Amino acid sequence: MSIRITRGGDEVARGLAELERHFDLGGGTALELAVTKSDTPGFSLRKSGGRCEVTYHDKADFFRCFARLMCRKNEEAFELSGQKKLKKLGVTVDCARNAVPKTDTLKRYILNIALLGYDYLGLYLEDCFRLEKYPKFGYMRGAYSEAELRSVVGYAAMFGLEVVPFIQTLGHLDTLFRHEEFQEVYDIRGTLLASFDRTYALIEEMLKTLRRCFISDRVNIGMDEAYMAGRGRYIEQFGYRESIDIFSEHLDRVAGLCEKYGFAPSMWSDRFIGMKVGAHHLPNLKYEGGKLDGLPKHLNVVYWDYDKTEVEGYLNNMRIHQRLFDRFSFAGSCVKCLGFAPFNRSAFKTNGAAFAACVKEGVEDYLLTTWSDNGAECSVFSALPGLIYVGALRYGEESADGVLDGFSKLLANMDFEGLLSLDLPNSWGGADIRGNPCKYLFYEDVLMSHPMIFTSAEYAESCAASYRILKQKTKGAYGYMFDTLARLVKFLEVKSLLGRDIKAAYDLKDGERLAVLAEKSIPAAIKRLKDFYAALKGQWLTENKLCGLEALDYRIGGVEKRLSYARSAIKDYLSGKTDKIPQLEEARLVDVDRPATVFDAMRIMTYGVY
């Protein structure tokens, strides 16, 4: 299907041409497309034979409408329409937590979200963009050049997508302080030194650089989770002051710099909520006061909340934000920061409830975050089912017949349920109720296994079943993702039980069983680990710049070394070279006063390397 525009469509022509480069639109048949722009929000489409009429309000409407057309390209005649429930919908890509996506990766991401009807892409950057005056800013981090950022912004503009920089101007700058030249602006724990002029010179250089790269007049200045601001070197320099006074003064100065360079700032709301009300994500917060005085006039605050599944919890906290701030938006999440596999199904529950609350309270801007904390072990595209679902929420199509499947087949060449198999390594009996076993069982030291770590033959069996499913999906544009996860569960099928089995055999003085574990099970695990690493490295090099891979090399190399050590320790014990294995002699301590949780498992299993 080739496209010939017969009326209108000037503002979408370049985007359509780009889509024809990347998607099979249906062979050599021609489709005449008549395009009309409307003042009424939403879109409508009528197809009859080789002709199609599209009416749309903005580019997000148009490209979602066109995607719906592509999903049904083999149908001779049909009509459809769509109406947004919220004014703005965006998504962030984390470009700073170890992995820095290649510009081609970001452009593919832009194609996906344009077709899903998103309005903007947030690039979370921290120090991963170059500053001319500060050569160590982003050094050895894969930082973007100005030309790279402009390339991404220009590409997005074809589809009407705004690209918004998300930076940090207070906390979350741990990697910056690796370098001596930034020690003068260091306060404590990855936090900039507020009230210090050279700190604001650095922030000004950030904003000046971003102004040259971005068209958007919006910038997110971060300032989240900076709990210790003013509690380190600040006290030595300026003496003790109340946290809210330091925070408010710093915000004023940063907002002034934003205004100087034509940016309207937004910031995460948690620190203000924490200082005035309590932990921002709790469900039963209470606040009866009035608006916060003295906030910058163009400031938007972002209420982020990622784990509630009931509408009422979100509503309560949104109403507190309404009392405190003149304007706020909301951010939910599709979790992909807890290991090698995502949690898309959980994202349906949390974002479904949050979206309903936003509609009820008239919140106009919804942001879906896809963080990569803890090393970016997960593919940047692994949240695609969550993106599809939230895009459908915006148009009220999450339950519409064939919509989720249609977008999944269009973007990933498989049905929606097949795409959701990305979640399988974290599933246990079909439900994601055990946390992230694909991470804590991956890194568990097999000589220091602990009864608080959830493991069972059931999970090992589920890994075998997951492998068979994932291996069937290793073809196509995202086949490498499924291949990586297939090799992951193949490894975990063996590794997940090793710690438990070694300890049990040792306690029973079962030398025969220990010999089998040392001579067969551990070598099998090491071989499968190497296979997994080869796939993971291929995934990384497909999606990301090279910097950052070294962190995964250290981690996975450590797992291999510990498996090798465990094998040699068992062999030495069995041969009589040693009379015991100290780690296995240690009694496992269990807290009998409360049930174990997944957080216990994550804390225990790695002793600092997690």
Side-chain angles (χ1 to χ4, degrees):
M1 180 175 70
S2 59
I3 306 296
R4 185 168 72 85
I5 299 176
T6 60
R7 184 184 71 234
D10 289 348
E11 73 171 8
V12 297
R14 287 182 63 221
L16 282 174
E18 184 64 12
L19 289 176
E20 288 190 271
R21 288 183 59 237
H22 291 276
F23 291 91
D24 176 11
L25 302 185
T29 59
L31 179 70
E32 295 182 354
L33 190 65
V35 180
T36 303
K37 188 163 184 177
S38 170
D39 292 333
T40 304
F43 65 79
S44 63
L45 178 152
R46 177 184 300 161
K47 183 188 178 191
S48 179
R51 296 182 179 180
C52 186
E53 295 182 5
V54 172
T55 301
Y56 73 100
H57 177 66
D58 58 22
K59 287 186 180 180
D61 285 331
F62 176 83
F63 286 108
R64 183 172 179 92
C65 179
F66 188 76
R68 294 289 309 278
L69 171 63
M70 287 197 288
C71 291
R72 300 174 65 177
K73 63 188 177 185
N74 295 324
E75 296 182 32
E76 185 69 16
F78 62 89
E79 296 182 13
L80 58 82
S81 61
Q83 187 75 36
K84 295 184 187 121
K85 290 187 172 183
L86 293 183
K87 185 176 180 180
K88 280 187 176 291
L89 178 63
V91 60
T92 59
V93 172
D94 193 332
C95 306
R97 258 42 114 63
N98 204 39
V100 178
K102 296 176 179 178
T103 55
D104 284 348
T105 300
L106 293 176
K107 290 174 183 178
R108 182 71 195 194
Y109 207 96
I110 285 165
L111 276 176
N112 289 346
I113 64 173
L115 291 170
L116 292 170
Y118 285 72
D119 297 295
Y120 67 95
L121 171 67
L123 297 184
Y124 180 73
L125 296 168
E126 289 186 3
D127 60 334
C128 287
F129 60 105
R130 294 288 186 189
L131 297 184
E132 187 176 326
K133 286 188 176 179
Y134 297 88
K136 290 288 182 70
F137 191 89
Y139 176 65
M140 290 294 183
R141 291 263 283 142
Y144 294 114
S145 67
E146 292 186 26
E148 286 177 311
L149 290 174
R150 284 195 291 267
S151 170
V152 171
V153 170
Y155 189 81
M158 285 195 294
F159 303 98
L161 275 164
E162 177 187 15
V163 183
V164 181
F166 280 58
I167 62 172
Q168 288 291 350
T169 60
L170 189 56
H172 283 299
L173 287 170
D174 305 75
T175 54
L176 188 67
F177 299 116
R178 296 172 179 172
H179 307 297
E180 182 65 30
E181 69 183 79
F182 295 110
Q183 292 306 304
E184 66 175 0
V185 295
Y186 173 72
D187 181 9
I188 187 172
R189 294 186 188 175
T191 305
L192 288 169
L193 182 61
S195 307
F196 184 58
D197 287 345
R198 291 183 187 176
T199 296
Y200 301 100
L202 171 61
I203 294 170
E204 180 166 9
E205 190 64 21
M206 293 184 207
L207 294 167
K208 187 190 299 184
T209 301
L210 295 175
R211 183 69 289 161
R212 293 195 294 266
C213 301
F214 289 83
I215 300 168
S216 175
D217 62 0
R218 296 195 291 163
V219 62
N220 184 291
I221 57 175
M223 297 180 64
D224 55 309
E225 299 179 321
Y227 305 114
M228 298 298 290
R231 296 296 174 259
R233 290 182 61 244
Y234 189 97
I235 293 176
E236 298 173 8
Q237 297 276 335
F238 304 105
Y240 176 84
R241 296 176 65 198
E242 291 292 333
S243 292
I244 196 165
D245 295 333
I246 298 170
F247 194 83
S248 298
E249 179 187 278
H250 181 71
L251 172 60
D252 282 342
R253 293 188 69 169
V254 174
L257 292 171
C258 290
E259 184 175 3
K260 178 178 179 179
Y261 290 97
F263 285 115
S266 66
M267 60 171 284
W268 308 104
S269 71
D270 56 289
R271 291 308 298 129
F272 270 131
I273 296 294
M275 290 183 284
K276 296 294 290 186
V277 185
H280 78 286
H281 59 279
L282 295 177
N284 299 310
L285 294 178
K286 290 184 170 45
Y287 177 74
E288 302 299 333
K291 290 274 194 287
L292 280 176
D293 294 328
L295 294 180
K297 62 181 178 179
H298 298 300
L299 179 70
N300 176 69
V301 299
V302 185
Y303 162 38
W304 59 272
D305 202 337
Y306 304 152
D307 56 6
K308 293 184 181 62
T309 57
E310 300 296 330
V311 174
E312 281 304 318
Y314 291 110
L315 286 174
N316 178 69
N317 290 4
M318 286 178 184
R319 289 163 184 162
I320 289 173
H321 279 72
Q322 289 169 342
R323 294 189 191 103
L324 281 165
F325 306 109
D326 288 332
R327 64 184 67 83
F328 78 95
S329 56
F330 181 83
S333 184
C334 187
V335 175
K336 52 177 279 297
C337 60
L338 294 177
F340 302 101
F343 289 85
N344 286 288
R345 290 186 189 275
S346 294
F348 301 166
K349 300 172 189 174
T350 56
N351 286 285
F355 205 92
C358 285
V359 171
K360 186 168 185 177
E361 288 302 305
V363 178
E364 294 187 335
D365 187 337
Y366 194 102
L367 175 66
L368 182 67
T369 63
T370 60
W371 300 117
S372 297
D373 312 35
N374 304 311
E377 293 165 329
C378 207
S379 166
V380 69
F381 293 109
S382 63
L384 184 55
L387 291 172
I388 292 172
Y389 186 80
V390 172
L393 282 175
R394 185 190 199 184
Y395 285 87
E397 297 175 332
E398 68 276 14
S399 301
D401 187 39
V403 170
L404 300 180
D405 272 343
F407 277 104
S408 185
K409 290 173 183 176
L410 174 65
L411 300 179
N413 200 32
M414 66 183 71
D415 62 27
F416 194 61
E417 192 63 30
L419 192 59
L420 277 169
S421 60
L422 291 165
D423 286 11
L424 283 174
N426 282 323
S427 298
W428 199 319
D432 53 352
I433 58 173
R434 306 266 182 166
N436 56 341
C438 84
K439 179 149 189 167
Y440 63 73
L441 292 174
F442 185 95
Y443 289 115
E444 177 199 24
D445 190 301
V446 296
L447 294 182
M448 299 181 182
S449 65
H450 196 281
M452 276 188 174
I453 293 182
F454 301 113
T455 186
S456 72
E458 182 187 356
Y459 180 69
E461 290 166 8
S462 78
C463 284
S466 297
Y467 175 78
R468 292 190 290 272
I469 294 169
L470 291 162
K471 277 305 280 184
Q472 294 173 2
K473 305 182 186 305
T474 56
K475 303 240 189 311
Y478 300 115
Y480 66 88
M481 268 198 305
F482 292 90
D483 183 51
T484 299
L485 294 178
R487 298 196 205 192
L488 171 67
V489 294
K490 191 74 170 172
F491 168 64
L492 289 172
E493 181 187 2
V494 177
K495 167 65 163 53
S496 63
L497 296 175
L498 272 178
R500 184 196 72 173
D501 291 351
I502 289 170
K503 175 63 174 166
Y506 184 85
D507 287 348
L508 292 171
K509 295 185 170 30
D510 186 344
E512 187 175 335
R513 177 63 177 146
L514 283 172
V516 170
L517 291 166
E519 296 297 343
K520 293 186 177 180
S521 300
I522 293 177
I526 291 172
K527 181 183 182 304
R528 293 183 185 196
L529 177 64
K530 289 178 178 179
D531 289 343
F532 166 67
Y533 173 73
L536 183 68
K537 182 176 75 171
Q539 174 176 290
W540 185 284
L541 296 177
T542 296
E543 295 181 352
N544 304 314
K545 296 187 177 188
L546 187 57
C547 288
L549 180 59
E550 71 281 355
L552 300 190
D553 285 351
Y554 299 146
R555 293 180 184 185
I556 295 170
V559 172
E560 182 184 341
K561 284 296 183 186
R562 290 302 297 168
L563 285 169
S564 296
Y565 173 79
R567 181 171 184 257
S568 65
I570 293 169
K571 289 175 69 177
D572 287 348
Y573 171 70
L574 293 175
S575 69
K577 189 174 180 179
T578 59
D579 62 353
K580 62 184 176 183
I581 301 174
Q583 299 97 323
L584 298 177
E585 290 286 325
E586 187 101 16
R588 294 342 191 208
L589 302 178
V590 180
D591 189 342
V592 297
D593 296 327
R594 64 179 179 84
T597 70
V598 66
F599 300 105
D600 294 312
M602 290 190 290
R603 282 192 292 266
I604 291 165
M605 54 126 186
T606 54
Y607 299 93
V609 289
Y610 179 61

